[in-house]
Amino acid sequence: MKASIIIPTYNREDALVNTIENCLSQDFKDLEIVVIDQTKQHQTDTTKYIESIKKRIIYITEDIAGLTRARNIGARNASGDILIFIDDDVILDTNFVSQHIKNYILNNADAVQGRIIEDDSEPKNKPQWIDNKIRFSGSNNCISHGKTNTLTGCNFSVKKTAYLDVGGFDERYTKSSNNEDSDFGLRLFKNNFNIVFSPEAKLKHLRITSGGVDTGIESQKLSLSYYYCELLFARKHFSYPVILYYKARLMWRGIKAIIKLVKYADKKALTALDNQLSSK
């Protein structure tokens, strides 16, 4: 069984280098690393590093930035039986790939959601699950095995045959691209593919604020692409009454985001005035 790690990247430097280094250090030997780089121009050190390891990876450059598109390009260029999708700002144990592969051998998995550890995330006992009212329960920082019907993009894997069966990622999810991973997972689940959660297939997600798919978006919840992607997901998978209810929830999120932004702006204005007074 061969595995392919697929890493879409956009405007990342040191984090990307560290992620690739972690991938090159895996103890699973039948492995290829596919990097889809949508960055216009890297810093000098990053460029030098990429040039030094190009023979050890499949390196693809793309002018048009888009997460779902990059993932599909990576999958098309991957030769692995198992496709492992990660972000470009993660830390992996050396057995990360081996732990993913183990679930296909022992648990008859078609897709595997791995544990995602973040600084502000507390461990939970149940894997994430999405109900018929578009509410998420459980967590991907889960310490227990189980089943799930959704996926989170920075740490999951899938059989290439299953990926092809459901048609890959929906490239209509653009810019912020939120819920593109949940959409993919839910399509797998609806087509009766077995999605398992593995706490051992874990990584640390750094959530680097510079670079990434959100480049240029100061506040996701004040961005058109955020609401577009949320409603695309809702309209693809849920009933009309649920969509209406969800639109109301989105409106409330927008109101709270504006209130937060105004408070933050006012705090900055007060700080600017205080600095002016103290300099006199």
Side-chain angles (χ1 to χ4, degrees), residues 83-142:
L83 309 177
I84 304 175
F85 294 91
I86 63 173
D87 280 2
D88 55 0
D89 60 342
V90 298
I91 298 173
L92 313 175
D93 292 337
T94 56
N95 67 346
F96 170 76
V97 172
S98 298
Q99 292 294 344
H100 267 275
I101 298 301
K102 186 184 295 183
N103 288 276
Y104 294 94
I105 299 170
L106 300 179
N107 299 321
N108 196 30
D110 296 304
V112 176
Q113 174 66 56
R115 182 182 177 190
I116 300 168
I117 301 169
E118 297 177 335
D119 286 339
D120 59 351
S121 175
E122 293 294 326
K124 303 292 184 182
N125 290 315
K126 291 184 178 180
Q128 188 164 269
W129 191 272
I130 184 169
D131 68 15
N132 58 9
K133 292 184 179 179
I134 325 182
R135 291 188 183 278
F136 289 83
S137 61
S139 171
N140 283 324
N141 186 3
C142 178

Side-chain angles (χ1 to χ4, degrees), residues 1-27:
M1 188 178 290
K2 183 176 182 178
S4 302
I5 296 182
I6 297 172
I7 313 170
T9 185
Y10 183 55
N11 288 351
R12 288 267 161 79
E13 305 296 339
D14 290 346
L16 171 63
V17 171
N18 292 334
T19 297
I20 295 174
E21 280 291 289
N22 281 197
C23 292
L24 290 171
S25 300
Q26 292 297 300
D27 62 13

Side-chain angles (χ1 to χ4, degrees), residues 245-259:
Y245 174 60
Y246 195 57
K247 285 172 74 174
R249 284 163 56 190
L250 288 175
M251 288 176 188
W252 178 235
R253 287 182 200 175
I255 290 169
K256 289 195 293 184
I258 291 170
I259 292 170

Side-chain angles (χ1 to χ4, degrees), residues 10-13 15 88-89 207-215:
Y10 183 55
N11 288 351
R12 288 267 161 79
E13 305 296 339
D88 55 0
D89 60 342
R207 298 182 71 176
I208 303 295
T209 55
S210 59
V213 72
D214 291 338
T215 297

Side-chain angles (χ1 to χ4, degrees), residues 72-279:
N72 284 335
I73 291 169
R76 286 197 297 270
N77 285 274
S79 60
D81 307 293
I82 305 300
L83 309 177
I84 304 175
F85 294 91
I86 63 173
D87 280 2
D88 55 0
D89 60 342
V90 298
I91 298 173
L92 313 175
D93 292 337
T94 56
N95 67 346
F96 170 76
V97 172
S98 298
Q99 292 294 344
H100 267 275
I101 298 301
K102 186 184 295 183
N103 288 276
Y104 294 94
I105 299 170
L106 300 179
N107 299 321
N108 196 30
D110 296 304
V112 176
Q113 174 66 56
R115 182 182 177 190
I116 300 168
I117 301 169
E118 297 177 335
D119 286 339
D120 59 351
S121 175
E122 293 294 326
K124 303 292 184 182
N125 290 315
K126 291 184 178 180
Q128 188 164 269
W129 191 272
I130 184 169
D131 68 15
N132 58 9
K133 292 184 179 179
I134 325 182
R135 291 188 183 278
F136 289 83
S137 61
S139 171
N140 283 324
N141 186 3
C142 178
I143 57 176
S144 304
H145 291 269
K147 296 292 184 72
T148 181
N149 65 348
T150 184
L151 295 169
T152 301
C154 74
N155 182 12
F156 74 88
S157 61
V158 61
K159 287 181 178 177
K160 191 166 187 179
T161 52
Y163 165 89
L164 293 171
D165 191 84
V166 299
F169 294 92
D170 186 342
E171 295 185 18
R172 290 174 294 184
Y173 290 90
T174 57
K175 295 186 178 178
S176 68
S177 296
N178 45 298
N179 275 338
E180 46 79 30
D181 43 10
S182 299
D183 171 81
F184 181 70
L186 203 52
R187 283 188 282 126
L188 287 170
F189 180 78
K190 288 180 176 179
N191 280 276
N192 298 314
F193 287 108
N194 181 28
I195 311 174
V196 303
F197 185 90
S198 172
E200 293 85 9
K202 65 182 184 297
L203 56 70
K204 175 73 178 291
H205 186 208
L206 300 178
R207 298 182 71 176
I208 303 295
T209 55
S210 59
V213 72
D214 291 338
T215 297
I217 301 176
E218 186 170 348
S219 174
Q220 246 202 5
K221 291 176 183 173
L222 294 175
S223 164
L224 172 62
S225 68
Y226 172 82
Y227 297 99
Y228 160 74
C229 291
E230 291 285 340
L231 288 167
L232 176 61
F233 178 64
R235 289 186 177 276
K236 283 185 68 176
H237 295 287
F238 299 93
S239 66
Y240 187 65
V242 172
I243 293 166
L244 290 178
Y245 174 60
Y246 195 57
K247 285 172 74 174
R249 284 163 56 190
L250 288 175
M251 288 176 188
W252 178 235
R253 287 182 200 175
I255 290 169
K256 289 195 293 184
I258 291 170
I259 292 170
K260 184 178 179 180
L261 181 67
V262 170
K263 286 181 177 178
Y264 177 66
D266 191 35
K267 185 178 179 180
K268 286 190 70 174
L270 287 170
T271 301
L273 290 171
D274 289 342
N275 289 341
Q276 184 182 23
L277 289 171
S278 62
S279 64

